[in-house]
Amino acid sequence: MSTHIILPRIMQVGAGASQEIPNILTSLGCKRPLIITDKVMVSLGYISTIESSLLEHSIDCHVFDATVPEPTISSITAGVNQVRHGDYDSIIAVGGGSPIDSAKAIAILGKHDGTMRDFKFPRIVNESGLPIIAVPTTAGTGSEVTKFTIITDEANDEKMLCVGMGFMPVAALVDYDLTLSLPPRITADTGIDALTHALEGYVSRKANPYSDSQVLAAMRLIAPNLRAAFHDGTNKQAREAMMLGSTLAGIGFSNASVALVHGMSRPIGAFFHVPHGLSNAMLLPSVTAFSIEAAPKRYADSARAMGIANQTDSDDCANQKLLDELQALNDELQVPTLAEYGIDKEQYFSLLNEMASQAMSSGSPSNNPRIPSKDEIVEIYKKLWK
Ligand SMILES: [Fe+2]
């Protein structure tokens, strides 16, 4: 049996990789890029640096900086109109997962008729949009190397999963220098997201030898370095490992899929505006506890790759260490409970059924080693309230 693997055409990896934007554009034959980003990236000076280096290469560019965290249909509309009425031949997406996810949606909608709802899963979007050069500034969502984007439909608070080759960037510039100034909270949330990609990619029912090789390497890089990057953001060795680990985890899950943590995380994010990585972190220990019985060897392998279990530990022992570590990691990274985050208990319990329905319809729970019923998803949501 063979596996279909989709990757960016070009990757530039390491310190200073983002300075190669002009050369990458030239190698792709592109001359009129639109930079898609957010106002934080502008205020940090990242965008003016890119604009200057493009000008030095006689490349004129425009900037769309109105992307928002957890992008919605309305938040990308102005960007779609800018592409439809502009004469752009490429997009440079700069930022965390949200600007890159926004750019992916704009790249497709700017070139094709329809609304984002027309492009959501289970439709597979293999049409080409504008080519995207993705420059991540977090480690991370892995969005720079995935064929996915997530856009919220504010009409029903659904986080729409959109899938296909059309959303894969043509180039990914993976530059850990851009993560050195990330604050601890974002470092923790995005880092746990990356760790979740690696773990879910490994236990996924769609795992394959190629994705296994990527996500195991990702776990070896992320697990020993996440705490160090959280406590000291200037630790270059930890930042480099996190950035590479995040990209490898992205490659892995894009070619294997995520599972129940992500399926249940998106509705929490959509209804209560919890950042994606944080809602993953809240769910990771309990969903792992629910799932281990269906793939004990895979979870034990993960604990060994993360360096928290020994090669000589039994699978049961390794899995207990994994559960202990996931909770200890949340404690050390100060992941709040739902209540501590400020979510209203009554509202949360009134939405359990709807959240479970949205989780099921995303398709991700069916990739989980233990496939839950809707009632079991409701139970996990209930127990999450502490
Ligand atoms: Fe994620």
Side-chain angles (χ1 to χ4, degrees):
M1 196 177 120
S2 67
T3 310
H4 186 66
I5 305 296
I6 300 171
L7 298 167
R9 199 190 309 168
I10 302 169
M11 291 180 67
Q12 186 86 30
V13 182
S18 59
Q19 294 166 27
E20 297 298 319
I21 292 173
N23 294 333
I24 301 279
L25 276 174
T26 303
S27 71
L28 293 168
C30 295
K31 297 186 179 77
R32 293 180 306 280
L34 173 66
I35 297 176
I36 295 183
T37 188
D38 62 27
K39 293 190 167 47
V40 176
M41 296 300 120
V42 173
S43 68
L44 287 171
Y46 289 173
I47 304 307
S48 57
T49 302
I50 293 170
E51 285 177 300
S52 303
S53 76
L54 289 174
L55 263 183
E56 280 170 24
H57 289 76
S58 306
I59 299 172
D60 193 19
C61 68
H62 292 164
V63 178
F64 175 75
D65 67 2
T67 67
V68 299
E70 319 292 324
T72 62
I73 289 176
S74 63
S75 78
I76 60 169
T77 300
V80 171
N81 288 335
Q82 190 166 346
V83 166
R84 283 181 177 167
H85 300 113
D87 186 24
Y88 306 107
D89 61 8
S90 51
I91 287 173
I92 303 169
V94 183
S98 297
I100 297 176
D101 275 5
S102 301
K104 289 176 171 185
I106 292 167
I108 286 289
L109 283 182
K111 283 286 157 191
H112 300 276
D113 291 334
T115 71
M116 208 60 219
R117 287 183 203 99
D118 301 326
F119 291 89
K120 78 171 182 177
F121 184 80
R123 176 172 172 179
I124 302 298
V125 181
N126 285 334
E127 297 91 332
S128 298
L130 279 181
I132 296 173
I133 294 148
V135 187
T137 59
T138 61
T141 64
S143 187
E144 71 278 6
V145 289
T146 73
K147 59 184 176 188
F148 307 116
T149 187
I150 307 271
I151 303 294
T152 299
D153 182 350
E154 52 274 80
N156 61 353
D157 277 336
E158 180 189 0
K159 279 200 168 190
M160 297 184 294
L161 174 64
C162 306
V163 181
M165 202 153 42
F167 297 116
M168 176 60 78
V170 67
L173 279 56
V174 182
D175 185 349
Y176 70 84
D177 277 350
L178 302 180
T179 67
L180 292 172
S181 58
L182 275 181
R185 183 73 264 140
I186 296 178
T187 300
D189 294 351
T190 53
I192 294 181
D193 186 29
L195 183 63
T196 307
H197 295 153
L199 183 58
E200 292 212 285
Y202 193 64
V203 301
S204 162
R205 284 172 179 261
K206 292 183 181 159
N208 55 78
Y210 181 85
S211 61
D212 285 353
S213 69
Q214 307 297 303
V215 295
L216 285 170
M219 284 188 258
R220 290 186 190 105
L221 287 162
I222 295 167
N225 288 291
L226 178 48
R227 285 176 170 87
F230 173 74
H231 291 300
D232 176 10
T234 64
N235 182 334
K236 288 193 175 187
Q237 178 269 329
R239 290 293 197 187
E240 181 171 22
M242 288 299 300
M243 195 70 174
L244 180 57
S246 156
T247 296
L248 294 179
I251 291 171
F253 92 81
S254 185
N255 290 290
S257 85
V258 282
L260 185 56
V261 176
H262 273 73
M264 292 183 63
S265 175
R266 293 185 203 107
I268 294 178
F271 285 110
F272 301 104
H273 308 290
V274 181
H276 172 69
L278 194 54
S279 50
N280 279 348
M282 291 169 173
L283 284 158
L284 187 55
S286 48
V287 171
T288 303
F290 171 84
S291 307
I292 276 180
E293 66 175 46
K297 177 149 184 14
R298 286 246 148 194
Y299 280 103
D301 281 348
S302 303
R304 294 182 189 108
M306 289 165 65
I308 53 178
N310 301 317
Q311 297 303 325
T312 52
D313 286 338
S314 68
D315 287 353
D316 282 351
C317 173
N319 285 333
Q320 189 54 54
K321 287 182 174 178
L322 177 64
L323 290 174
D324 293 345
E325 164 63 7
L326 295 179
Q327 191 53 57
L329 187 61
N330 275 4
D331 293 343
E332 186 161 343
L333 302 188
Q334 297 161 27
V335 173
T337 63
L338 293 162
E340 287 165 352
Y341 191 76
I343 291 170
D344 179 74
K345 185 176 182 182
E346 209 171 304
Q347 191 192 5
Y348 179 77
F349 277 81
S350 74
L351 284 167
L352 293 183
N353 204 41
E354 175 62 23
M355 290 199 296
S357 293
Q358 287 193 7
M360 294 288 275
S361 68
S362 75
S364 300
S366 62
N367 301 322
N368 208 53
R370 180 177 170 192
I371 298 177
S373 66
K374 189 177 164 189
D375 287 347
E376 285 172 323
I377 290 180
V378 168
E379 269 315 298
I380 297 171
Y381 276 136
K382 269 187 196 164
K383 282 192 198 152
L384 205 57
W385 191 274
K386 292 176 207 153

